[in-house]
Amino acid sequence: MARPPRSVKFLDYLLSEPVQCQVSAVGGGFAARQDIKATDAHATELAVLMKGVDVFEPDWKDIDKNLGGYLDAWRKATGS
């Protein structure tokens, strides 16, 4: 059985529970995993900042299906 590439191993490490639990305290950001709930000072400050904010979640299946059309529309709108 082939070993996974180093990049996959690194991403697996970054997404592991112990590392994700440190994202807020060490990096001041949000964990990528939904099951990780930070409670440190940074997490508390971020929660206050995010109150009332609607987070846009793109429909990646739609984007994948219609990417060409979206790119054409972007180029037309921006002249790029």
Side-chain angles (χ1 to χ4, degrees):
M1 179 179 214
R3 291 185 353 197
R6 288 183 190 176
S7 57
V8 171
K9 291 172 101 176
F10 183 59
L11 287 174
D12 286 345
Y13 166 75
L14 291 177
L15 292 172
S16 69
E17 185 174 351
V19 174
Q20 286 291 296
C21 286
Q22 297 179 42
V23 169
S24 179
V26 175
F30 297 101
R33 290 176 45 169
Q34 298 289 328
D35 62 325
I36 304 296
K37 305 295 180 208
T39 58
D40 60 86
H42 286 144
T44 303
E45 290 176 29
L46 286 171
V48 170
L49 287 172
M50 294 301 293
K51 280 194 179 189
V53 173
D54 292 326
V55 177
F56 171 73
E57 294 187 27
D59 180 347
W60 293 112
K61 289 182 181 179
D62 176 67
I63 292 170
D64 186 44
K65 180 180 174 186
N66 299 298
L67 182 59
Y70 293 139
L71 291 174
D72 290 342
W74 173 261
R75 290 181 187 116
K76 182 177 179 184
T78 62
S80 58

